[in-house]
Amino acid sequence: MTITITAFENSPDRGRGLARDMRVRWALEEVGQPYEVRLLSFEAMKQPAHLALQPFGQIPTYEDGDLALFESGAIILHIARRYPGLLPDDPNAQARAVTWMFAALSTMEQPILEREMAWLVEREESWYAARLPILEGRIRNRLSALSRRLGDADWLDGDFSAGDLEMISVLLRLKSSKLLKEYPNLLTYIERGENRPAYQRAFAAQLAVFHAAT
């Protein structure tokens, strides 16, 4: 059976490739697996049929035969373990790649999301101007550590892996800010990811959904 994932019918990211179905699309493109997409409205995401797949009413979900998964990180880890192309053969290198996946989702993404949420819900509040430098300072601490670790390497640990896919996907959330300009090696790292044919195919597919909705 063909893999089916879910995605926004009308994504709030306006086709910028930031919705989490993009990460799953990219992973499937990297491993060369065909997939279908079931587009959902915000209303449909809260209905019993979708909640049976994703109890929190979010996207993406992943269905393959009798297997149903939710949470993009878990889905990508499953794809990487099931199909060649996203994890190295060496067991120790595999473990390090998975470590980078977790680092992207917990250590790196959390302060970035906190900054995003502050802008969305607090930017009109009196304390926002004082809080923003604190939030951005936390992000800079993470970016500085990542920049030092990456150095002049192309990827985080040897060849491109699911760890890079997750890390670049997270860093792309900062693309519209000025923070990344302080770290040239991270900018070129992101560009390498964006230039991968699999990324470009996934991005084009998600962008097409946005154009169709508008």
Side-chain angles (χ1 to χ4, degrees):
M1 296 181 66
T2 302
I3 294 166
T4 300
I5 68 171
T6 50
F8 289 118
E9 182 180 76
N10 192 353
S11 177
D13 82 335
R14 301 182 62 81
R16 293 184 296 152
L18 300 181
R20 282 177 172 78
D21 67 283
M22 173 64 193
R23 305 178 188 189
V24 177
R25 292 174 187 268
W26 186 6
L28 289 168
E29 293 288 354
E30 288 284 354
V31 300
Q33 288 299 307
Y35 62 97
E36 297 177 352
V37 182
R38 184 166 63 252
L39 300 176
L40 297 174
S41 66
F42 287 101
E43 180 180 356
M45 289 164 60
K46 306 304 179 184
Q47 299 305 310
H50 185 64
L51 291 174
L53 296 172
Q54 218 296 358
F56 304 104
Q58 299 171 321
I59 61 96
T61 58
Y62 171 102
E63 296 169 83
D64 185 9
D66 59 359
L67 175 64
L69 299 173
F70 63 96
E71 290 294 335
S72 60
I75 294 168
I76 291 167
L77 181 57
H78 167 74
I79 293 168
R81 285 176 167 168
R82 182 160 186 174
Y83 305 105
L86 282 174
L87 288 177
D89 294 330
D90 176 72
N92 287 347
Q94 281 189 25
R96 292 194 298 271
V98 173
T99 297
W100 280 114
M101 290 181 66
F102 279 82
L105 296 175
S106 56
T107 303
M108 186 61 69
E109 190 165 36
Q110 292 310 306
I112 294 172
L113 291 177
E114 188 176 6
R115 175 182 177 271
E116 287 183 6
M117 289 304 299
W119 185 86
L120 285 171
V121 303
E122 299 177 13
R123 66 182 184 273
E124 302 300 329
E125 303 293 344
S126 60
W127 63 77
Y128 177 73
R131 188 172 182 228
L132 183 60
I134 298 172
L135 297 175
E136 293 191 339
R138 293 172 184 166
I139 295 172
R140 284 189 175 92
N141 287 340
R142 301 302 190 197
L143 292 175
S144 295
L146 181 64
S147 176
R148 287 193 300 270
R149 181 58 180 262
L150 180 64
D152 59 1
D154 284 347
W155 309 112
L156 291 170
D157 193 297
D159 294 334
F160 177 86
S161 75
D164 295 294
L165 187 153
E166 288 282 21
M167 188 64 75
I168 291 167
S169 296
V170 168
L171 292 176
L172 281 166
R173 305 191 75 92
L174 293 172
K175 197 172 180 181
S176 61
S177 78
K178 298 179 181 179
L179 291 168
L180 283 171
K181 294 180 180 179
E182 302 170 24
Y183 307 94
N185 66 331
L186 295 184
L187 281 173
T188 56
Y189 173 58
I190 294 169
E191 289 171 3
R192 278 191 291 274
E194 291 179 299
N195 287 333
R196 292 181 70 83
Y199 177 90
Q200 294 180 7
R201 291 193 297 271
F203 184 87
Q206 194 188 59
L207 184 61
V209 173
F210 170 73
H211 287 318
T214 56

